[in-house]
Amino acid sequence: KTETQMHHVALLKYFKFDCSRETLFIPELTVVCGFMVVFLLIALFGLDEVMDRVVARAHDMPMYKAERLSFSPAHLLVKFLNFVRNFTYLIMQLGSTILVVPMVQIIAGAAHCSESADYGGLVVSNAPHIQCLQHKHLQILAVLGALVPLYLFLLMPFAVVAGDALYVPSESMFEWRFW
């Protein structure tokens, strides 16, 4: 088998899902780009700190303080807000530690071209149906060219602290001397 004929196989109890790399190419890139956008929004706008303030205000609500049961409306709201806050911190931690290498590999695969006799000419190695440096590939490279440098640049302060966003205040993101 050639590299483009390799298959991703996922076995789930009694279900076998088998698809080619070519089939997963666009969905993988979409997920990676979406994740990078979310990471960038959280980092640039300090959404982790915003969520901290929102949760603190929710704890200070008179309705929350008056309720005695943990499944009352204000308590459920605070639990939901805590979940969103924790999810925000999880995105920052994963996006600056263990997901960096797999994401960069997917991005590199989107830029890697090879000669194909079957499809004629240069094609994207992981998606031979896409001609290299032609319409669709140029669009993919343009999106990646905009997202990846910004992601890698904003990733640095978070990577230094093992993804712990508590140590990277949003004010420091724009003070380059602080870095």
Side-chain angles (χ1 to χ4, degrees), residues 29 33 36-37 137-149:
L29 272 178
C33 289
M36 282 192 295
V37 166
H137 191 232
L138 287 176
Q139 291 172 343
I140 291 169
L141 292 177
V143 169
L144 293 176
L147 285 177
V148 173

mmCIF file with all atom_site columns, all heavy atoms in Angstrom, residues 29 33 36-37 137-149:
data_model
loop_
_atom_site.group_PDB
_atom_site.id
_atom_site.type_symbol
_atom_site.label_atom_id
_atom_site.label_alt_id
_atom_site.label_comp_id
_atom_site.label_asym_id
_atom_site.label_entity_id
_atom_site.label_seq_id
_atom_site.pdbx_PDB_ins_code
_atom_site.Cartn_x
_atom_site.Cartn_y
_atom_site.Cartn_z
_atom_site.occupancy
_atom_site.B_iso_or_equiv
_atom_site.pdbx_formal_charge
_atom_site.auth_seq_id
_atom_site.auth_comp_id
_atom_site.auth_asym_id
_atom_site.auth_atom_id
_atom_site.pdbx_PDB_model_num
ATOM 1   N N   . LEU A 1 29  ? -8.668  18.771 8.918  1.00 0.00 ? 29  LEU A N   1
ATOM 2   C CA  . LEU A 1 29  ? -8.248  20.171 8.797  1.00 0.00 ? 29  LEU A CA  1
ATOM 3   C C   . LEU A 1 29  ? -9.283  21.118 9.380  1.00 0.00 ? 29  LEU A C   1
ATOM 4   O O   . LEU A 1 29  ? -8.939  22.122 10.011 1.00 0.00 ? 29  LEU A O   1
ATOM 5   C CB  . LEU A 1 29  ? -8.006  20.529 7.329  1.00 0.00 ? 29  LEU A CB  1
ATOM 6   C CG  . LEU A 1 29  ? -6.611  20.265 6.802  1.00 0.00 ? 29  LEU A CG  1
ATOM 7   C CD1 . LEU A 1 29  ? -6.519  20.625 5.337  1.00 0.00 ? 29  LEU A CD1 1
ATOM 8   C CD2 . LEU A 1 29  ? -5.565  20.997 7.599  1.00 0.00 ? 29  LEU A CD2 1
ATOM 9   N N   . CYS A 1 33  ? -8.397  23.633 12.380 1.00 0.00 ? 33  CYS A N   1
ATOM 10  C CA  . CYS A 1 33  ? -8.575  25.081 12.195 1.00 0.00 ? 33  CYS A CA  1
ATOM 11  C C   . CYS A 1 33  ? -9.587  25.635 13.196 1.00 0.00 ? 33  CYS A C   1
ATOM 12  O O   . CYS A 1 33  ? -9.383  26.707 13.779 1.00 0.00 ? 33  CYS A O   1
ATOM 13  C CB  . CYS A 1 33  ? -9.007  25.401 10.770 1.00 0.00 ? 33  CYS A CB  1
ATOM 14  S SG  . CYS A 1 33  ? -7.693  25.155 9.570  1.00 0.00 ? 33  CYS A SG  1
ATOM 15  N N   . MET A 1 36  ? -7.920  25.859 16.547 1.00 0.00 ? 36  MET A N   1
ATOM 16  C CA  . MET A 1 36  ? -6.989  26.987 16.598 1.00 0.00 ? 36  MET A CA  1
ATOM 17  C C   . MET A 1 36  ? -7.739  28.308 16.749 1.00 0.00 ? 36  MET A C   1
ATOM 18  O O   . MET A 1 36  ? -7.303  29.189 17.494 1.00 0.00 ? 36  MET A O   1
ATOM 19  C CB  . MET A 1 36  ? -6.103  27.024 15.351 1.00 0.00 ? 36  MET A CB  1
ATOM 20  C CG  . MET A 1 36  ? -4.983  26.028 15.388 1.00 0.00 ? 36  MET A CG  1
ATOM 21  S SD  . MET A 1 36  ? -3.735  26.273 14.104 1.00 0.00 ? 36  MET A SD  1
ATOM 22  C CE  . MET A 1 36  ? -4.659  25.966 12.629 1.00 0.00 ? 36  MET A CE  1
ATOM 23  N N   . VAL A 1 37  ? -8.868  28.460 16.066 1.00 0.00 ? 37  VAL A N   1
ATOM 24  C CA  . VAL A 1 37  ? -9.665  29.685 16.175 1.00 0.00 ? 37  VAL A CA  1
ATOM 25  C C   . VAL A 1 37  ? -10.163 29.858 17.606 1.00 0.00 ? 37  VAL A C   1
ATOM 26  O O   . VAL A 1 37  ? -10.077 30.950 18.178 1.00 0.00 ? 37  VAL A O   1
ATOM 27  C CB  . VAL A 1 37  ? -10.834 29.683 15.164 1.00 0.00 ? 37  VAL A CB  1
ATOM 28  C CG1 . VAL A 1 37  ? -11.847 30.757 15.485 1.00 0.00 ? 37  VAL A CG1 1
ATOM 29  C CG2 . VAL A 1 37  ? -10.313 29.845 13.745 1.00 0.00 ? 37  VAL A CG2 1
ATOM 30  N N   . HIS A 1 137 ? -6.431  23.803 -2.951 1.00 0.00 ? 137 HIS A N   1
ATOM 31  C CA  . HIS A 1 137 ? -5.209  23.741 -2.138 1.00 0.00 ? 137 HIS A CA  1
ATOM 32  C C   . HIS A 1 137 ? -4.741  25.143 -1.763 1.00 0.00 ? 137 HIS A C   1
ATOM 33  O O   . HIS A 1 137 ? -4.293  25.376 -0.631 1.00 0.00 ? 137 HIS A O   1
ATOM 34  C CB  . HIS A 1 137 ? -4.118  22.966 -2.879 1.00 0.00 ? 137 HIS A CB  1
ATOM 35  C CG  . HIS A 1 137 ? -2.947  22.640 -2.011 1.00 0.00 ? 137 HIS A CG  1
ATOM 36  N ND1 . HIS A 1 137 ? -1.668  22.944 -2.365 1.00 0.00 ? 137 HIS A ND1 1
ATOM 37  C CD2 . HIS A 1 137 ? -2.873  22.027 -0.801 1.00 0.00 ? 137 HIS A CD2 1
ATOM 38  C CE1 . HIS A 1 137 ? -0.845  22.532 -1.408 1.00 0.00 ? 137 HIS A CE1 1
ATOM 39  N NE2 . HIS A 1 137 ? -1.552  21.973 -0.447 1.00 0.00 ? 137 HIS A NE2 1
ATOM 40  N N   . LEU A 1 138 ? -4.840  26.084 -2.672 1.00 0.00 ? 138 LEU A N   1
ATOM 41  C CA  . LEU A 1 138 ? -4.464  27.472 -2.362 1.00 0.00 ? 138 LEU A CA  1
ATOM 42  C C   . LEU A 1 138 ? -5.365  28.059 -1.279 1.00 0.00 ? 138 LEU A C   1
ATOM 43  O O   . LEU A 1 138 ? -4.902  28.815 -0.418 1.00 0.00 ? 138 LEU A O   1
ATOM 44  C CB  . LEU A 1 138 ? -4.494  28.331 -3.624 1.00 0.00 ? 138 LEU A CB  1
ATOM 45  C CG  . LEU A 1 138 ? -3.356  28.084 -4.619 1.00 0.00 ? 138 LEU A CG  1
ATOM 46  C CD1 . LEU A 1 138 ? -3.561  28.931 -5.873 1.00 0.00 ? 138 LEU A CD1 1
ATOM 47  C CD2 . LEU A 1 138 ? -2.008  28.370 -3.985 1.00 0.00 ? 138 LEU A CD2 1
ATOM 48  N N   . GLN A 1 139 ? -6.649  27.723 -1.309 1.00 0.00 ? 139 GLN A N   1
ATOM 49  C CA  . GLN A 1 139 ? -7.570  28.191 -0.267 1.00 0.00 ? 139 GLN A CA  1
ATOM 50  C C   . GLN A 1 139 ? -7.175  27.615 1.089  1.00 0.00 ? 139 GLN A C   1
ATOM 51  O O   . GLN A 1 139 ? -7.148  28.334 2.102  1.00 0.00 ? 139 GLN A O   1
ATOM 52  C CB  . GLN A 1 139 ? -9.009  27.798 -0.610 1.00 0.00 ? 139 GLN A CB  1
ATOM 53  C CG  . GLN A 1 139 ? -9.575  28.530 -1.799 1.00 0.00 ? 139 GLN A CG  1
ATOM 54  C CD  . GLN A 1 139 ? -10.920 27.964 -2.228 1.00 0.00 ? 139 GLN A CD  1
ATOM 55  O OE1 . GLN A 1 139 ? -11.301 26.855 -1.869 1.00 0.00 ? 139 GLN A OE1 1
ATOM 56  N NE2 . GLN A 1 139 ? -11.643 28.751 -3.014 1.00 0.00 ? 139 GLN A NE2 1
ATOM 57  N N   . ILE A 1 140 ? -6.862  26.329 1.105  1.00 0.00 ? 140 ILE A N   1
ATOM 58  C CA  . ILE A 1 140 ? -6.435  25.681 2.356  1.00 0.00 ? 140 ILE A CA  1
ATOM 59  C C   . ILE A 1 140 ? -5.162  26.328 2.880  1.00 0.00 ? 140 ILE A C   1
ATOM 60  O O   . ILE A 1 140 ? -5.053  26.659 4.066  1.00 0.00 ? 140 ILE A O   1
ATOM 61  C CB  . ILE A 1 140 ? -6.227  24.163 2.128  1.00 0.00 ? 140 ILE A CB  1
ATOM 62  C CG1 . ILE A 1 140 ? -7.570  23.476 1.869  1.00 0.00 ? 140 ILE A CG1 1
ATOM 63  C CG2 . ILE A 1 140 ? -5.498  23.518 3.300  1.00 0.00 ? 140 ILE A CG2 1
ATOM 64  C CD1 . ILE A 1 140 ? -7.451  22.053 1.366  1.00 0.00 ? 140 ILE A CD1 1
ATOM 65  N N   . LEU A 1 141 ? -4.192  26.553 1.987  1.00 0.00 ? 141 LEU A N   1
ATOM 66  C CA  . LEU A 1 141 ? -2.928  27.161 2.398  1.00 0.00 ? 141 LEU A CA  1
ATOM 67  C C   . LEU A 1 141 ? -3.120  28.598 2.880  1.00 0.00 ? 141 LEU A C   1
ATOM 68  O O   . LEU A 1 141 ? -2.429  29.049 3.798  1.00 0.00 ? 141 LEU A O   1
ATOM 69  C CB  . LEU A 1 141 ? -1.912  27.107 1.257  1.00 0.00 ? 141 LEU A CB  1
ATOM 70  C CG  . LEU A 1 141 ? -1.402  25.714 0.885  1.00 0.00 ? 141 LEU A CG  1
ATOM 71  C CD1 . LEU A 1 141 ? -0.450  25.793 -0.304 1.00 0.00 ? 141 LEU A CD1 1
ATOM 72  C CD2 . LEU A 1 141 ? -0.751  25.027 2.067  1.00 0.00 ? 141 LEU A CD2 1
ATOM 73  N N   . ALA A 1 142 ? -4.056  29.330 2.291  1.00 0.00 ? 142 ALA A N   1
ATOM 74  C CA  . ALA A 1 142 ? -4.324  30.702 2.728  1.00 0.00 ? 142 ALA A CA  1
ATOM 75  C C   . ALA A 1 142 ? -4.880  30.717 4.153  1.00 0.00 ? 142 ALA A C   1
ATOM 76  O O   . ALA A 1 142 ? -4.456  31.527 4.992  1.00 0.00 ? 142 ALA A O   1
ATOM 77  C CB  . ALA A 1 142 ? -5.287  31.380 1.758  1.00 0.00 ? 142 ALA A CB  1
ATOM 78  N N   . VAL A 1 143 ? -5.831  29.822 4.427  1.00 0.00 ? 143 VAL A N   1
ATOM 79  C CA  . VAL A 1 143 ? -6.401  29.751 5.781  1.00 0.00 ? 143 VAL A CA  1
ATOM 80  C C   . VAL A 1 143 ? -5.320  29.349 6.778  1.00 0.00 ? 143 VAL A C   1
ATOM 81  O O   . VAL A 1 143 ? -5.184  29.973 7.838  1.00 0.00 ? 143 VAL A O   1
ATOM 82  C CB  . VAL A 1 143 ? -7.594  28.759 5.817  1.00 0.00 ? 143 VAL A CB  1
ATOM 83  C CG1 . VAL A 1 143 ? -8.023  28.477 7.246  1.00 0.00 ? 143 VAL A CG1 1
ATOM 84  C CG2 . VAL A 1 143 ? -8.755  29.304 4.999  1.00 0.00 ? 143 VAL A CG2 1
ATOM 85  N N   . LEU A 1 144 ? -4.554  28.334 6.438  1.00 0.00 ? 144 LEU A N   1
ATOM 86  C CA  . LEU A 1 144 ? -3.486  27.889 7.335  1.00 0.00 ? 144 LEU A CA  1
ATOM 87  C C   . LEU A 1 144 ? -2.409  28.957 7.489  1.00 0.00 ? 144 LEU A C   1
ATOM 88  O O   . LEU A 1 144 ? -1.865  29.143 8.580  1.00 0.00 ? 144 LEU A O   1
ATOM 89  C CB  . LEU A 1 144 ? -2.867  26.584 6.834  1.00 0.00 ? 144 LEU A CB  1
ATOM 90  C CG  . LEU A 1 144 ? -3.781  25.355 6.883  1.00 0.00 ? 144 LEU A CG  1
ATOM 91  C CD1 . LEU A 1 144 ? -3.082  24.155 6.263  1.00 0.00 ? 144 LEU A CD1 1
ATOM 92  C CD2 . LEU A 1 144 ? -4.226  25.062 8.297  1.00 0.00 ? 144 LEU A CD2 1
ATOM 93  N N   . GLY A 1 145 ? -2.116  29.675 6.415  1.00 0.00 ? 145 GLY A N   1
ATOM 94  C CA  . GLY A 1 145 ? -1.120  30.745 6.471  1.00 0.00 ? 145 GLY A CA  1
ATOM 95  C C   . GLY A 1 145 ? -1.530  31.872 7.396  1.00 0.00 ? 145 GLY A C   1
ATOM 96  O O   . GLY A 1 145 ? -0.687  32.556 7.973  1.00 0.00 ? 145 GLY A O   1
ATOM 97  N N   . ALA A 1 146 ? -2.827  32.089 7.542  1.00 0.00 ? 146 ALA A N   1
ATOM 98  C CA  . ALA A 1 146 ? -3.310  33.128 8.452  1.00 0.00 ? 146 ALA A CA  1
ATOM 99  C C   . ALA A 1 146 ? -3.368  32.627 9.896  1.00 0.00 ? 146 ALA A C   1
ATOM 100 O O   . ALA A 1 146 ? -2.999  33.352 10.831 1.00 0.00 ? 146 ALA A O   1
ATOM 101 C CB  . ALA A 1 146 ? -4.694  33.602 8.016  1.00 0.00 ? 146 ALA A CB  1
ATOM 102 N N   . LEU A 1 147 ? -3.817  31.397 10.097 1.00 0.00 ? 147 LEU A N   1
ATOM 103 C CA  . LEU A 1 147 ? -4.029  30.882 11.447 1.00 0.00 ? 147 LEU A CA  1
ATOM 104 C C   . LEU A 1 147 ? -2.758  30.373 12.129 1.00 0.00 ? 147 LEU A C   1
ATOM 105 O O   . LEU A 1 147 ? -2.520  30.671 13.300 1.00 0.00 ? 147 LEU A O   1
ATOM 106 C CB  . LEU A 1 147 ? -5.047  29.739 11.422 1.00 0.00 ? 147 LEU A CB  1
ATOM 107 C CG  . LEU A 1 147 ? -6.496  30.101 11.233 1.00 0.00 ? 147 LEU A CG  1
ATOM 108 C CD1 . LEU A 1 147 ? -7.348  28.849 11.163 1.00 0.00 ? 147 LEU A CD1 1
ATOM 109 C CD2 . LEU A 1 147 ? -6.972  30.990 12.367 1.00 0.00 ? 147 LEU A CD2 1
ATOM 110 N N   . VAL A 1 148 ? -1.979  29.589 11.425 1.00 0.00 ? 148 VAL A N   1
ATOM 111 C CA  . VAL A 1 148 ? -0.865  28.877 12.059 1.00 0.00 ? 148 VAL A CA  1
ATOM 112 C C   . VAL A 1 148 ? 0.181   29.809 12.669 1.00 0.00 ? 148 VAL A C   1
ATOM 113 O O   . VAL A 1 148 ? 0.570   29.615 13.830 1.00 0.00 ? 148 VAL A O   1
ATOM 114 C CB  . VAL A 1 148 ? -0.231  27.857 11.079 1.00 0.00 ? 148 VAL A CB  1
ATOM 115 C CG1 . VAL A 1 148 ? 1.024   27.235 11.660 1.00 0.00 ? 148 VAL A CG1 1
ATOM 116 C CG2 . VAL A 1 148 ? -1.251  26.786 10.730 1.00 0.00 ? 148 VAL A CG2 1
ATOM 117 N N   . PRO A 1 149 ? 0.676   30.829 11.964 1.00 0.00 ? 149 PRO A N   1
ATOM 118 C CA  . PRO A 1 149 ? 1.676   31.692 12.613 1.00 0.00 ? 149 PRO A CA  1
ATOM 119 C C   . PRO A 1 149 ? 1.149   32.379 13.876 1.00 0.00 ? 149 PRO A C   1
ATOM 120 O O   . PRO A 1 149 ? 1.856   32.449 14.886 1.00 0.00 ? 149 PRO A O   1
ATOM 121 C CB  . PRO A 1 149 ? 2.020   32.728 11.536 1.00 0.00 ? 149 PRO A CB  1
ATOM 122 C CG  . PRO A 1 149 ? 1.642   32.089 10.255 1.00 0.00 ? 149 PRO A CG  1
ATOM 123 C CD  . PRO A 1 149 ? 0.469   31.210 10.563 1.00 0.00 ? 149 PRO A CD  1
#
